[in-house]
Amino acid sequence: EQIRPMNPEIEVHHELLEGTPAQAIIRYATEHLMDLIVLGIHGRTATTGQLMGSVAEQVLRDAPCSVLTVKLPQHAPPVTPMLGTRRNGY
């Protein structure tokens, strides 16, 4: 299923990446000169000692650009990470 923004004028491109999720996201962002990576996080409870999963934490540490995390609703289905805009304006 493809995810589309509510505004039909926003251009969307889908990419299927291979490899471990965090490394694939970081590699793609680096190769395509991304300005921003947006990641949904699940916001685990304080008893687990984690607010984010390991993928989000690794992307936050190693990304070549800014990373925006968005806490998903408690029972939200899994979401595919989406990358931001390219630095060259695409």
Side-chain angles (χ1 to χ4, degrees):
E1 178 181 334
Q2 293 186 353
I3 299 171
R4 295 280 177 208
M6 294 180 75
N7 181 342
E9 293 184 22
I10 297 174
E11 195 172 330
V12 176
H13 300 276
H14 296 273
E15 298 283 340
L16 177 61
L17 306 177
E18 293 185 19
T20 58
Q23 291 174 352
I25 292 167
I26 293 164
R27 182 175 55 250
Y28 186 90
T30 301
E31 291 171 357
H32 291 87
L33 303 174
M34 293 293 162
D35 289 320
L36 176 67
I37 299 171
V38 179
L39 292 173
I41 60 171
H42 45 70
R44 293 183 183 169
T45 65
T47 58
T48 65
Q50 287 185 304
L51 293 176
M52 295 176 282
S54 59
V55 171
E57 288 180 18
Q58 185 176 349
V59 172
L60 279 166
R61 275 195 311 270
D62 300 332
C65 59
S66 297
V67 178
L68 173 64
T69 58
V70 180
K71 185 180 178 299
L72 300 172
Q74 194 169 22
H75 299 291
V79 176
T80 304
M82 299 184 75
L83 299 174
T85 59
R86 294 180 186 184
R87 291 186 187 138
N88 60 7
Y90 287 62

